Amino acid sequence: MSVQTILLDFSMDPARLGDENGQKAVFTQLETVLKEYVPNLILATDIKVDGGSLKLLTGKAGTTVSVRLFDRGLVTVNIEYYKEDNEEPLISFKSAKILEGQLNKYMSVIKSQALPPLKRCKFGRYYPTSDERLLEYDIDGVLFDEQSSFQKVQVVHSKSFGNILVLDDLQNISEADLIYTETLMQRGKESYEGKEIVILGGGDGALLYELLKEKPKYVWMLEIDELVMKACNKHLKSICGDVLERRKGPNFEIIVEDCMLTVKRFTAERRKVDYVFGDLTDIPISDEGCSELWEFMVGILRAAFDILKPSGKFMTHGNGATSPESLELYEQVLMKMKPAVTFSKCKAFVPSFMEDWIFYQIAFKETANSDE
């Protein structure tokens, strides 16, 4: 079951919509064609608004149609109706394109566009890109849906990507995203054999699972949300193996608490490690209204370097390549770090994100220069 929303946009000579009579004439043309697609269509409300008018129509089985006429030459048509899973759509994308073509000719428009139907229902199909564009996923079911003390935790199934971990309505990782983990850890470029490693976050278990294949001396994974690990252990075994079930082994341990508490203990004990992975939240897309999140990220950076060996590295994910302002803000933070650090970055196309993602490798500047 779903609520289907068909969106059509038209642009025409503004002179045709410049007054009330012109808008009525265009609407009459539009209504004539719409009645061929929506049975029993009648005008329910006609409202004059600033910059144009709004017409609300109703049709068969509760179908509603809103038509917005802008005096600057734009017309939008939104058709909305309820559809059961076993029912044929009232208007498919194919028929919406035919409707668009008919209206195009009938109203003599300059440009037009019909969008694929939006399907809004009991589980989400739509998630944003890093720069807040809308992506539609072929999700056909929800496997896990609970609220922890920290966030909403879901695992949904996609026909293309398998099971996907979704946190607070943002896609995090899927069964198709090994490239994400391998790029984060720079597999083949960094040697983890015999090394000591701290993972900040990483509740899906994928990074820990892959790092253990590299024969490290010891890995501490610091995750605050027990519910994330419960969901992934049950529904994302293909990316985390049995590490979330075992919780501890001869060369790894999962500590369930605020990662900063463990880092502070390491600092007090003067313990130093070879690598720290930041697998927590993404970099904010701007600094507006995100001061607390930026403070958190700066705090994480400073704490990570407090427990790194002079030759150590901080490895983290940034944001989408289509969010350059966000990445620039993060790099400005890095350039102001004391002691000074140097960084490199790379990108990889992450399947379930449907976009290129940026990853950072950060080290103490003096050590990096001496290595050169």
Side-chain angles (χ1 to χ4, degrees), residues 228-368:
V228 171
M229 292 189 288
K230 173 186 172 183
C232 295
N233 183 52
K234 184 174 182 180
H235 298 291
L236 286 159
K237 285 275 193 184
S238 65
I239 69 169
C240 66
D242 64 352
V243 296
L244 297 178
E245 185 174 343
R246 291 165 58 200
R247 298 294 177 100
K248 191 170 185 177
N251 64 341
F252 80 95
E253 177 183 4
I254 297 175
I255 300 173
V256 186
E257 66 176 10
D258 183 340
C259 65
M260 292 297 284
L261 297 176
T262 305
V263 170
K264 287 177 181 177
R265 283 199 299 271
F266 276 31
T267 303
E269 296 166 1
R270 299 182 181 275
R271 181 178 293 180
K272 302 287 186 179
V273 298
D274 299 286
Y275 290 92
V276 176
F277 282 88
D279 199 12
L280 297 160
T281 185
D282 297 329
I283 297 170
I285 61 171
S286 73
D287 57 356
E288 187 175 339
C290 298
S291 58
E292 287 187 11
L293 189 50
W294 277 109
E295 286 176 14
F296 171 75
M297 299 202 71
V298 171
I300 288 293
L301 271 168
R302 289 174 177 162
F305 277 90
D306 283 343
I307 63 169
L308 273 174
K309 295 176 181 178
S311 59
K313 288 185 180 180
F314 180 68
M315 317 282 279
T316 192
H317 55 89
N319 213 320
T322 55
S323 298
E325 298 86 358
S326 166
L327 300 169
E328 184 178 345
L329 285 169
Y330 186 67
E331 290 169 16
Q332 288 175 4
V333 169
L334 295 179
M335 288 186 280
K336 295 175 183 177
M337 286 277 291
K338 300 294 182 184
V341 300
T342 185
F343 65 89
S344 58
K345 58 184 175 180
C346 59
K347 69 179 179 180
F349 183 83
V350 181
S352 76
F353 294 3
M354 300 192 208
E355 61 178 319
D356 285 325
W357 211 253
I358 304 299
F359 299 83
Y360 286 91
Q361 305 83 46
I362 310 164
F364 289 108
K365 192 167 189 177
E366 291 182 7
T367 303

Side-chain angles (χ1 to χ4, degrees), residues 104-117:
N104 217 324
K105 293 178 182 178
Y106 202 62
M107 299 192 304
S108 301
V109 304
I110 299 170
K111 288 189 298 184
S112 64
Q113 182 178 27
L115 301 179

Side-chain angles (χ1 to χ4, degrees), residues 67-183:
V67 179
R68 182 76 165 87
L69 298 110
F70 296 83
D71 56 17
R72 295 187 179 183
L74 302 175
V75 179
T76 61
V77 180
N78 303 345
I79 305 170
E80 193 162 279
Y81 67 96
Y82 177 83
K83 175 185 171 300
E84 291 284 359
D85 290 338
N86 57 353
E87 286 182 336
E88 289 296 317
L90 175 68
I91 301 178
S92 65
F93 183 45
K94 182 178 180 180
S95 57
K97 293 296 291 183
I98 296 171
L99 169 60
E100 176 200 357
Q102 284 185 264
L103 290 171
N104 217 324
K105 293 178 182 178
Y106 202 62
M107 299 192 304
S108 301
V109 304
I110 299 170
K111 288 189 298 184
S112 64
Q113 182 178 27
L115 301 179
L118 294 175
K119 307 171 189 71
R120 292 180 286 168
C121 49
K122 62 182 178 181
F123 57 84
R125 297 172 184 267
Y126 303 94
Y127 300 111
T129 60
S130 61
D131 58 346
E132 300 181 347
R133 289 172 291 115
L134 193 63
L135 299 172
E136 180 175 2
Y137 288 73
D138 54 356
I139 292 167
D140 55 10
V142 179
L143 307 177
F144 188 94
D145 188 356
E146 293 185 29
Q147 178 75 40
S148 77
S149 300
F150 310 99
Q151 58 201 333
K152 181 167 76 171
V153 181
Q154 294 176 302
V155 178
V156 299
H157 180 265
S158 156
K159 296 173 185 176
S160 298
F161 308 121
N163 293 347
I164 307 174
L165 174 65
V166 180
L167 301 177
D168 284 340
D169 298 318
L170 295 174
Q171 63 277 44
N172 270 248
I173 195 167
S174 81
E175 292 183 291
D177 294 340
L178 178 60
I179 187 66
Y180 175 96
T181 306
E182 291 192 322
T183 309

Side-chain angles (χ1 to χ4, degrees), residues 10 12 16 25-36 98-109:
F10 304 92
M12 56 181 59
R16 296 180 59 196
V26 170
F27 174 71
T28 299
Q29 295 175 328
L30 194 152
E31 184 182 27
T32 301
V33 177
L34 282 174
K35 284 181 175 179
E36 299 175 17
I98 296 171
L99 169 60
E100 176 200 357
Q102 284 185 264
L103 290 171
N104 217 324
K105 293 178 182 178
Y106 202 62
M107 299 192 304
S108 301
V109 304

